[in-house]
Amino acid sequence: MAKDNFVEQIADIEEDFPRWYTDVVVKTGLVDYGPVKGTMVIRPYGYAIWENIQSELDSRFKATGHRNAYFPLLIPMSFFTKEAEHVEGFAPEVAVVTHAGGEELAEPLAIRPTSETIFGCMYSKWIQSYRDLPVLINQWANVMRWEKTTRPFLRTSEFLWQEGHTAHATEQEAEEETMKMLGVYKEFAENCLAIPVITGKKTEKEKFAGAVATYGMEAMMKDGKSLQAGTSHYLGQNFAKAFDIKFLDKDGVQKHVYTSSWGVSTRLIGALIMAHGDKRGLVIPPVVAPEQVVIVPIAVKKGGVLEKCSEVRAALEKEGVRVVLDDSDASPGWKFNEYELKGVPLRIEIGPRDIENGKAMIFRRDTLEKQEYALDGIEKQVKALLKTVQKDMLEIARVRRDGRIISADSLKGISGGVDGGNFVKAGWCGCRECEDRVKAETNATARVIADGETAEKCAVCGKKANSVVYFARAY
Amino acid sequence: MAKDNFVEQIADIEEDFPRWYTDVVVKTGLVDYGPVKGTMVIRPYGYAIWENIQSELDSRFKATGHRNAYFPLLIPMSFFTKEAEHVEGFAPEVAVVTHAGGEELAEPLAIRPTSETIFGCMYSKWIQSYRDLPVLINQWANVMRWEKTTRPFLRTSEFLWQEGHTAHATEQEAEEETMKMLGVYKEFAENCLAIPVITGKKTEKEKFAGAVATYGMEAMMKDGKSLQAGTSHYLGQNFAKAFDIKFLDKDGVQKHVYTSSWGVSTRLIGALIMAHGDKRGLVIPPVVAPEQVVIVPIAVKKGGVLEKCSEVRAALEKEGVRVVLDDSDASPGWKFNEYELKGVPLRIEIGPRDIENGKAMIFRRDTLEKQEYALDGIEKQVKALLKTVQKDMLEIARVRRDGRIISADSLKGISGGVDGGNFVKAGWCGCRECEDRVKAETNATARVIADGETAEKCAVCGKKANSVVYFARAY
């Protein structure tokens, strides 16, 4: 028996997940490698996913009272030294501009790895009174972190992201904002990317450099590894003090503000690929799919076929469905393969016999199932089906993930669990030594602290546990 | 008599146009100066204009078959040297990364001043056959050009823009694309920014470094100076040869592609400010205004006033109008002043007597005229009025500009014309010496060559003219 075409194009997902990933992202035209090591070119098919992600997130940010702005790319190196933990965390990864306009600069400039410092600098200028608060600003921007090992979307020297930076009069308000945006991310991940996420507080070791507390959302990839898909930081007064962001409060006293920051990036594209993809290639959730439906004419040259296909396309476009009609010379089989590889959620096949019977075949990329639908009013059926696919993808991912969350009460248990491709919940005493030991012996890290859960003993040292932690290997 | 408030806030536009400009952009919260010299922070009110510009342009790009992508910020310095004119034009302005990740880089990297080279590098990889053509890609990105003299929006070391880069099988197709996008820009400038523009070919001296031909659109500012608001370049095979972008044509022969590039930037925000602003501040055309309507309650604490204002706001929002209701404690007079300064196109005033009479007063920012409208169905009236304002603003700007285009047939005539704040049309022999002499003696430059117009003699040397040129002082 001949091998399926797709098996020839991409590595087997079961045998070599990392190679499957790089094969899929490159061969579907999502991304290519840039000429500078560690950089990527986000190609139109990949960028269209990002545009859909942006549009969904942006409307959520605006609905929660945030406004967009744009802050400079270049930050004086001296800004980083103002917050001790921040400089320690980011200085090693920074790309530095030393020359510009044909001259050496008096002070070297960092390409932003993140923008807390430059927002802090401007906020100290803009904020005077409690009447100026809260300040709720987001920016969509490129950032640069010089990484040793890179992989498209997951870890590249430059990536695209959004970063929200907010300032508040009280600790409580800033903490509420931090949690609110974590909630926005979680709802978005589940309803738009169809990825169930575990949210929770990060350990001291894993928190953002300069934060009082970092909250993350972790998504399980098909190989059982975790991907940090977004973070929300409560920064307390750390940056307010470093940049002297003060306001005159209602009581007539000068006080430092409390700030938060939160971000997600083009990494989310990597997340959805590894959360949903299968041996045939990508499976893109309808909400963010560049093309939600492909129409493939069967016997395209037979009278009436192309006309009917165009008619269906027009009806779908009118309903706001993103649809492509492939009327090229390639065979239907080639097209089936191609759009399955690209992860287009639905394929409609229309041939002469279908038209005679007033029917069309619809193929679901997520379940690989085919079903016949009446051509009459098919646009409504397709719209409903896209919703079903979206919902089912989340549900399937949730069931898969939940089946791979186990508990352990020993280092051996953690080790075996992550070897088997699981997230492992284990009691933790809270000390850095035990956290480091897990990493050293299992290559797993503490992803998040399980909210509200308790355990008796630390799985590592056996002492009293003060929390339960999700351990996993991570991207 | 007391001076008007607005006169105290901003410089007099008639007396000191440059200071009026910087006063207005800073005091309305459009922009602020960044900590690094020559950089700007685009604040939410300014960025919202950019978002509206982006949305209008992006839909036009997509309607003409373009797709968005994202290419890396950092470009190997060696790329610039591949196209001789290009390196000469851009090398002096480049910001250079020499260190990253704690190490000195083997090759210094330029922060993109424009992306022809890196698009060229990738296109040479992606394009193999005539079937791959045309390639029609745009990107929204930040770019960096290290400028000596900077002014917010007009000239800053970093700015935001879009850059389209296309590749075609034939010269004719690439030239058509170049002109098509110039046409898109012109239609956008007129219908969205309400700015009439003169389009035409640039002289050899003024063309883009590396182009065969550059076409520009020039807008007249209120001081009679010209602002280059967008450019579209026909690049011939210059970059195709520099980056070896070849395809196998239908006839079986390997050929170099023909390319184009075109861009507009956040400079457009500066353009609309200086094309429409007046002594009271900004006047923003409705299509790109962050807030199209402000509702100001008169006697806000009187029963029913705030309720009626909220009702009108809801009705306007339902119609898709961007509306803000200012129910703060400030006086109506203060609010009038504030929103006039910010250039909000329409103000609706609603007080107890208005409600009694079923009327509301609407103030037009562009004409400074007030008129009474029935409250019943006011949302429809407002929508129509916004369209009228948009149309009238273009018309007024066109009449103003047309009244300030004069002709001259001598260097003295050009000099007197630009001194008087005019665009001056004059015959030109086509030689660089005459062009340089105009610049040296009048500080005006050749903006564009007037399409299809002829003159007998060169206004400078008196020899036979081969074209008519628009001369003006320029930003």
Side-chain angles (χ1 to χ4, degrees):
Chain A
M1 233 175 73
K3 282 176 93 180
D4 286 331
N5 279 347
F6 53 82
V7 177
E8 291 170 25
Q9 290 181 49
I10 55 174
D12 188 322
I13 190 170
E14 305 290 344
E15 278 175 20
D16 191 346
F17 192 75
R19 227 197 91 205
W20 169 87
Y21 177 79
T22 49
D23 280 354
V24 163
V25 294
V26 172
K27 291 196 175 153
T28 54
L30 289 177
V31 78
D32 203 350
Y33 299 97
V36 174
K37 196 174 164 294
T39 63
M40 64 174 166
V41 180
I42 307 179
R43 299 183 70 172
Y45 194 58
Y47 198 81
I49 298 177
W50 184 238
E51 288 181 306
N52 293 332
I53 288 174
Q54 283 190 300
S55 151
E56 290 288 342
L57 279 173
D58 201 66
S59 64
R60 284 166 172 80
F61 296 157
K62 285 177 176 151
T64 44
H66 302 86
R67 299 168 77 195
N68 289 329
Y70 185 77
F71 284 64
L73 175 77
L74 297 182
I75 301 176
M77 281 299 278
S78 57
F79 278 27
F80 287 91
T81 59
K82 295 194 183 191
E83 213 292 328
E85 283 186 16
H86 197 63
V87 67
E88 204 182 312
F90 285 102
E93 295 186 347
V94 154
V96 186
V97 176
T98 55
H99 293 71
E103 290 174 11
E104 185 166 359
L105 298 172
E107 180 182 2
L109 302 171
I111 298 183
R112 63 180 160 229
T114 179
S115 300
E116 279 74 12
T117 58
I118 198 159
F119 272 77
C121 163
M122 300 311 295
Y123 281 6
S124 74
K125 201 172 154 185
W126 298 340
I127 296 168
Q128 310 292 336
S129 143
Y130 69 92
R131 289 172 187 276
D132 300 325
L133 297 172
V135 176
L136 307 173
I137 296 183
N138 174 63
Q139 83 172 354
W140 292 95
N142 53 343
V143 282
M144 183 88 61
R145 296 177 187 177
W146 215 258
E147 303 272 5
K148 298 262 180 255
T149 315
T150 57
R151 207 172 324 170
F153 297 125
L154 302 179
R155 200 174 291 278
T156 46
S157 55
E158 182 189 10
F159 55 92
L160 303 181
W161 80 343
Q162 61 67 219
E163 47 181 325
H165 294 272
T166 69
H168 307 263
T170 67
E171 188 171 358
Q172 189 195 333
E173 270 184 48
E175 280 178 337
E176 278 169 11
E177 167 81 8
T178 309
M179 299 316 291
K180 183 201 280 176
M181 300 321 290
L182 184 71
V184 165
Y185 287 156
K186 184 183 168 79
E187 183 273 322
F188 161 80
E190 299 189 342
N191 293 329
C192 298
L193 306 182
I195 301 178
V197 291
I198 294 166
T199 55
K201 195 172 173 175
K202 292 268 172 187
T203 63
E204 277 299 301
K205 181 186 176 185
E206 300 286 338
K207 78 170 191 198
F208 176 78
V212 170
T214 289
Y215 299 84
M217 65 173 181
E218 299 286 322
M220 186 184 279
M221 304 294 98
K222 279 224 168 153
D223 59 355
K225 285 169 78 171
S226 187
L227 185 137
Q228 178 176 298
T231 46
S232 187
H233 314 295
Y234 169 62
L235 304 172
Q237 295 182 314
N238 291 354
F239 287 90
K241 285 180 177 161
F243 288 90
D244 204 29
I245 318 173
K246 280 194 291 209
F247 70 104
L248 190 65
D249 205 353
K250 285 176 190 167
D251 58 12
V253 179
Q254 287 278 348
K255 297 173 185 172
H256 284 106
V257 300
Y258 296 82
T259 66
S260 90
S261 68
W262 28 274
V264 298
S265 74
T266 36
R267 203 165 209 233
L268 290 174
I269 301 173
L272 74 86
I273 295 165
M274 294 198 296
H276 301 301
D278 64 17
K279 65 174 182 166
R280 300 196 188 198
L282 300 174
V283 184
I284 309 184
V287 171
V288 296
E291 298 155 0
Q292 297 173 310
V293 175
V294 56
I295 303 173
V296 176
I298 310 297
V300 62
K301 280 166 187 161
K302 282 273 171 67
V305 170
L306 204 50
E307 290 72 9
K308 179 53 79 179
C309 288
S310 303
E311 207 180 280
V312 171
R313 176 178 58 181
L316 286 169
E317 278 174 348
K318 213 176 147 194
E319 289 287 322
V321 174
R322 296 187 288 271
V323 56
V324 59
L325 163 57
D326 188 342
D327 58 1
S328 69
D329 288 343
S331 72
W334 185 91
K335 292 177 189 174
F336 289 4
N337 196 60
E338 183 68 8
Y339 292 95
E340 287 174 21
L341 183 65
K342 286 178 77 183
V344 177
L346 296 179
R347 175 175 79 229
I348 307 181
E349 306 163 18
I350 302 176
R353 200 165 311 161
D354 299 305
I355 298 171
E356 248 180 68
N357 300 331
K359 305 273 189 188
M361 198 61 89
I362 301 186
F363 169 82
R364 277 179 66 166
R365 178 64 184 87
D366 61 327
T367 58
L368 307 177
E369 287 165 2
K370 268 190 190 190
Q371 199 181 317
E372 218 172 48
Y373 286 82
L375 271 167
D376 188 37
I378 198 166
E379 65 278 11
K380 304 282 181 198
Q381 298 288 337
V382 166
K383 275 200 87 167
L385 199 49
L386 286 169
K387 282 199 179 138
T388 305
V389 169
Q390 184 77 30
K391 208 170 123 276
D392 287 357
M393 283 182 71
L394 174 61
E395 208 36 47
I396 292 282
R398 195 192 300 279
V399 168
R400 185 189 316 115
R401 191 222 28 207
D402 289 351
R404 291 168 79 169
I405 298 176
I406 61 168
S407 290
D409 56 9
S410 68
L411 196 50
K412 207 174 148 190
I414 297 173
S415 182
V418 298
D419 277 347
N422 300 291
F423 284 10
V424 183
K425 285 162 76 168
W428 179 48
C429 62
C431 86
R432 176 68 181 261
E433 287 70 26
C434 287
E435 192 179 355
D436 286 344
R437 227 181 121 200
V438 172
K439 167 78 177 166
E441 299 198 15
T442 72
N443 210 21
T445 47
R447 304 316 305 158
V448 290
I449 296 167
D451 198 25
E453 297 190 41
T454 56
E456 287 203 5
K457 292 193 307 181
C458 174
V460 185
C461 67
K463 290 189 191 143
K464 191 170 153 26
N466 71 10
S467 60
V468 171
V469 167
Y470 283 90
F471 287 102
R473 297 206 177 110
Y475 280 93
Chain B
M1 234 176 73
K3 284 176 92 180
D4 286 332
N5 279 346
F6 53 82
V7 177
E8 291 170 25
Q9 290 182 48
I10 54 173
D12 189 322
I13 189 169
E14 307 289 345
E15 279 175 22
D16 190 346
F17 193 74
R19 226 197 92 205
W20 169 87
Y21 177 79
T22 48
D23 280 356
V24 163
V25 295
V26 171
K27 290 196 177 152
T28 55
L30 288 177
V31 77
D32 203 349
Y33 300 97
V36 173
K37 197 176 163 294
T39 62
M40 63 175 165
V41 180
I42 307 178
R43 298 185 70 173
Y45 194 58
Y47 198 82
I49 298 177
W50 183 239
E51 287 181 306
N52 293 333
I53 288 174
Q54 283 190 300
S55 150
E56 290 289 342
L57 279 172
D58 201 66
S59 65
R60 285 166 173 79
F61 297 157
K62 284 176 178 155
T64 44
H66 303 85
R67 299 167 77 192
N68 289 328
Y70 186 77
F71 284 64
L73 175 77
L74 297 182
I75 301 176
M77 280 300 277
S78 58
F79 278 28
F80 286 91
T81 60
K82 295 194 183 190
E83 213 292 327
E85 283 187 16
H86 196 63
V87 68
E88 203 182 313
F90 284 102
E93 297 186 345
V94 153
V96 186
V97 176
T98 54
H99 293 72
E103 289 173 12
E104 185 166 358
L105 298 171
E107 181 182 3
L109 302 172
I111 297 183
R112 62 179 162 231
T114 179
S115 301
E116 280 74 11
T117 58
I118 199 161
F119 273 78
C121 162
M122 300 311 295
Y123 282 7
S124 73
K125 200 172 155 186
W126 297 341
I127 296 168
Q128 309 292 335
S129 144
Y130 69 93
R131 290 172 187 273
D132 300 326
L133 297 172
V135 176
L136 307 173
I137 296 183
N138 173 64
Q139 83 172 355
W140 293 95
N142 53 342
V143 283
M144 182 88 60
R145 296 176 188 178
W146 216 258
E147 304 272 4
K148 298 264 180 252
T149 315
T150 57
R151 206 169 328 166
F153 296 125
L154 302 179
R155 200 174 292 278
T156 47
S157 55
E158 182 189 10
F159 55 91
L160 303 182
W161 80 343
Q162 61 66 218
E163 48 182 325
H165 294 272
T166 68
H168 307 264
T170 68
E171 189 171 358
Q172 189 195 333
E173 269 185 49
E175 280 178 337
E176 277 169 12
E177 167 80 9
T178 308
M179 299 315 291
K180 183 201 281 176
M181 300 321 289
L182 184 70
V184 165
Y185 287 156
K186 184 182 168 78
E187 181 274 322
F188 161 80
E190 300 189 341
N191 293 329
C192 298
L193 306 182
I195 301 178
V197 290
I198 294 166
T199 55
K201 196 172 173 176
K202 292 268 172 187
T203 63
E204 276 299 300
K205 182 187 176 185
E206 299 287 336
K207 77 171 192 196
F208 177 77
V212 170
T214 288
Y215 300 84
M217 66 173 180
E218 299 287 321
M220 186 184 279
M221 303 295 98
K222 280 225 167 154
D223 59 355
K225 285 169 77 172
S226 187
L227 185 138
Q228 178 175 297
T231 46
S232 187
H233 315 294
Y234 169 61
L235 305 172
Q237 294 182 315
N238 291 355
F239 287 90
K241 285 180 177 162
F243 288 89
D244 204 29
I245 317 173
K246 280 195 289 207
F247 70 103
L248 190 66
D249 205 352
K250 285 176 188 167
D251 58 11
V253 179
Q254 286 278 347
K255 299 174 184 172
H256 284 106
V257 300
Y258 296 83
T259 66
S260 90
S261 68
W262 28 273
V264 297
S265 74
T266 36
R267 202 165 210 233
L268 291 174
I269 301 173
L272 73 87
I273 295 165
M274 293 197 297
H276 301 300
D278 65 17
K279 65 174 183 167
R280 299 195 189 200
L282 300 173
V283 184
I284 310 184
V287 171
V288 296
E291 298 156 0
Q292 298 173 309
V293 175
V294 57
I295 303 173
V296 176
I298 311 296
V300 61
K301 279 166 186 159
K302 282 272 170 67
V305 171
L306 204 51
E307 289 72 9
K308 179 52 80 179
C309 290
S310 303
E311 208 179 279
V312 171
R313 175 178 60 182
L316 286 169
E317 278 174 348
K318 213 175 148 196
E319 289 287 323
V321 174
R322 297 187 287 273
V323 56
V324 59
L325 163 56
D326 187 342
D327 57 1
S328 69
D329 287 344
S331 72
W334 185 91
K335 291 177 190 173
F336 290 4
N337 196 61
E338 183 69 7
Y339 292 95
E340 286 173 23
L341 183 65
K342 287 177 77 184
V344 177
L346 297 179
R347 174 176 80 229
I348 307 180
E349 305 164 19
I350 302 176
R353 202 166 312 160
D354 300 303
I355 298 171
E356 248 178 69
N357 300 331
K359 305 273 189 187
M361 197 62 89
I362 300 187
F363 170 82
R364 275 178 67 165
R365 178 63 184 89
D366 60 328
T367 58
L368 307 178
E369 286 165 2
K370 268 190 191 191
Q371 198 182 317
E372 218 173 48
Y373 287 82
L375 271 168
D376 188 38
I378 198 165
E379 64 279 11
K380 304 281 181 198
Q381 299 288 337
V382 166
K383 276 199 87 169
L385 198 49
L386 287 169
K387 282 199 179 138
T388 305
V389 169
Q390 183 77 31
K391 208 170 122 280
D392 288 357
M393 283 181 71
L394 173 62
E395 209 36 47
I396 292 281
R398 196 191 302 277
V399 168
R400 185 189 315 117
R401 186 212 43 195
D402 289 351
R404 292 168 78 170
I405 298 177
I406 61 168
S407 290
D409 55 10
S410 68
L411 196 49
K412 208 175 147 190
I414 296 173
S415 181
V418 299
D419 276 348
N422 300 291
F423 283 10
V424 183
K425 286 163 78 167
W428 179 48
C429 63
C431 86
R432 176 69 181 260
E433 287 69 28
C434 288
E435 191 180 357
D436 285 344
R437 228 182 121 197
V438 172
K439 166 78 177 165
E441 300 197 13
T442 72
N443 210 20
T445 48
R447 303 317 305 157
V448 290
I449 296 167
D451 198 26
E453 297 190 40
T454 56
E456 287 204 3
K457 292 193 308 181
C458 174
V460 185
C461 66
K463 289 186 190 145
K464 192 171 153 26
N466 71 8
S467 60
V468 172
V469 167
Y470 283 90
F471 287 101
R473 298 208 177 110
Y475 280 93

